[in-house]
Amino acid sequence: MSWFETAFGAHYPLLYAHRDAAEAAAAVGALERLAPLGGDPCLDLGCGAGRHLAFLARDRRQVVGLDLSMALLVAAGATAAAAGAALVRGDMRRLPLRDGRFGAVLSLFTAFGYFGPLREHAGVIAEIARVLRGGGHWYLDYLNCAKVRRELAAADAPRRWRESGPLAIGEERSLAGDRVVKQVLVRPRPGQAAAAAALGVPAAGLAYAEEVALFAPDELDALAAAHGLRRAAAAGGYAGESFADPEAPRWLLAYRREERS
Ligand SMILES: C[S@@+](CC[C@H](N)C(=O)[O-])C[C@H]1O[C@@H](n2cnc3c(N)ncnc32)[C@H](O)[C@@H]1O
């Protein structure tokens, strides 16, 4: 089983409980300012538990959320129903969606970079370009790779333990060449075995290593351009921080799909 099949189970939203609806609204607002998100329909690629769906559905007729994780799609059900969004189970490497269907595709909160070094993502980018119509945009909300690389190279990142609901979570990040690796241990807190089991966390706990690609912006630009996607705009965070700021909290990138011939 690949790490991303274990990591994005029913327990995942508790690991990132601070990544909430307010932050989702800020992310959608920031991307809308980057390049017009008018594209209808729009695809939330790797939608997880669906926290962005309501904000995407506010100004457009059709929103589709796609994810590989059945547990997270189930969690997204109520939000999607309220927003009138459709949910699809699928793999971003082989999208079960027809060519040129979408005006916008969004990869939000690092829903990208899971398949090894950046060059291994050509297939995902080809799929995004295939389902976008000419003039539509791909929006990527990613970690600031340069900052992550600098911080992890400068200091040891000790394992940190924290608690969320019935879970105790241990995390340790390190650099591994062109990837950042986070070793994750998730265990039931004392007396919380039943509640943790309901989230798919057994008494013995879950252990896995998240791996996310680190790259320079021009490497992504080149890979995207090879599939007809040209960078249109960039920002450094949800509050409109500058992309050029080395301390920018995030990388927000918008790529425009060339017209189809
Ligand atoms: C970091 S989470 C972000 C979720 C959501 N966008 C959010 O902001 O809450 C990444 C999402 O990508 C999904 N994912 C991982 N690998 C995938 C794949 N191969 N195809 C489709 N979705 C995938 C995960 O299940 C997870 O929901």
Side-chain angles (χ1 to χ4, degrees):
M1 210 149 120
S2 304
W3 71 263
F4 47 85
E5 291 168 89
T6 308
F8 298 116
H11 69 287
Y12 170 77
L14 275 184
L15 266 60
Y16 291 92
H18 54 296
R19 303 294 185 185
D20 56 9
E23 190 204 60
V28 171
L31 292 168
E32 244 155 3
R33 287 190 294 279
L34 213 55
L37 238 181
D40 202 352
C42 107
L43 173 64
D44 183 354
L45 186 57
C47 63
R51 66 194 174 109
H52 297 92
L53 293 173
F55 305 105
L56 293 170
R58 217 170 24 199
D59 298 323
R60 49 197 61 79
R61 289 186 303 279
Q62 224 192 326
V63 174
V64 176
L66 181 141
D67 207 281
L68 188 61
S69 164
M70 190 49 90
L72 292 181
L73 287 171
V74 168
T79 309
L87 293 177
V88 176
R89 182 159 193 233
D91 191 316
M92 63 177 83
R93 294 167 292 184
R94 293 175 295 279
L95 292 175
L97 301 166
R98 70 177 158 75
D99 295 4
R101 177 172 169 200
F102 292 94
V105 175
L106 300 102
S107 302
L108 296 165
F109 187 48
T110 322
F112 183 76
Y114 302 156
F115 313 119
L118 181 66
R119 61 179 175 279
E120 303 296 332
H121 294 74
V124 176
I125 292 177
E127 280 295 86
I128 291 168
R130 180 180 67 73
V131 302
L132 270 176
R133 49 170 184 269
H137 288 87
W138 172 42
Y139 298 84
L140 177 63
D141 162 18
Y142 208 68
L143 38 89
N144 175 341
C145 297
K147 180 170 178 247
V148 168
R149 191 182 279 287
R150 235 179 14 254
E151 287 173 351
L152 290 176
D156 286 342
R159 173 165 297 157
R160 287 177 213 277
W161 282 95
R162 59 195 174 94
E163 294 180 342
S164 183
L167 305 177
I169 303 149
E171 294 166 315
E172 186 177 358
R173 288 199 311 167
S174 59
L175 275 180
D178 42 18
R179 273 164 288 174
V180 54
V181 175
K182 192 197 273 181
Q183 302 285 345
V184 183
L185 294 172
V186 185
R187 295 184 186 140
R189 288 174 56 204
Q192 299 287 329
L199 295 169
V201 178
L206 289 177
Y208 52 88
E210 298 179 3
E211 293 190 22
V212 177
L214 295 176
F215 48 82
D218 58 350
E219 290 176 78
L220 181 60
D221 291 352
L223 197 58
H227 297 281
L229 295 163
R230 309 267 165 207
R231 197 199 309 171
Y238 303 150
E241 294 90 335
S242 164
F243 183 69
D245 181 352
E247 294 303 317
R250 306 280 300 162
W251 280 356
L252 306 185
L253 298 159
Y255 289 87
R256 187 175 189 277
R257 174 75 168 90
E258 281 171 359
E259 294 301 333
R260 291 164 174 271
S261 48

